[in-house]
Amino acid sequence: MDWVIRFQSHLWICICLAVFNAADALFTHRVLLKGGKELNPLMSQLYAIDPVLFLLVKFIFSYLILAVGLVPLHRRVQWLLLLAFVVYTLVIGWHVFINIYYIK
């Protein structure tokens, strides 16, 4: 049996999504430390329980996103990944804007 890793066409999108997810966790943590508010109710509850648990869950999701990049996906699912990439790009842009102009 040949053990060859095949790079999927959506791997780069998954790598970017994983990095964006980790950056989102760190940016959100910084904003919350400065008195900001988490808009996602599930993540807000998780952060209220323990900020380390919040970061741990976000980083686990990043690793799972990387794993998705290694398995073949239907073309429609790849389009959904691309949509998630666009949304996360906007989220990270928003975080950068907030951190530059509002967080001191």
Side-chain angles (χ1 to χ4, degrees), residues 18-82:
V19 170
F20 285 174
N21 189 52
D24 177 46
L26 296 174
F27 279 134
T28 300
H29 180 63
R30 183 168 189 260
V31 168
L32 292 173
L33 287 175
K34 299 291 184 172
K37 183 178 177 189
E38 170 63 66
L39 298 178
N40 180 337
L42 180 64
M43 287 293 130
S44 178
Q45 287 295 324
L46 197 58
Y47 193 86
I49 293 170
D50 187 9
V52 174
L53 182 61
F54 167 83
L55 291 171
L56 182 66
V57 167
K58 290 289 278 186
F59 289 133
I60 288 171
F61 281 139
S62 292
Y63 287 117
L64 291 174
I65 293 167
L66 283 175
V68 168
L70 298 175
V71 297
L73 297 176
H74 192 275
R75 184 63 66 188
R76 289 182 183 153
V77 178
Q78 290 179 5
W79 278 104
L80 289 174
L81 282 175
L82 186 58

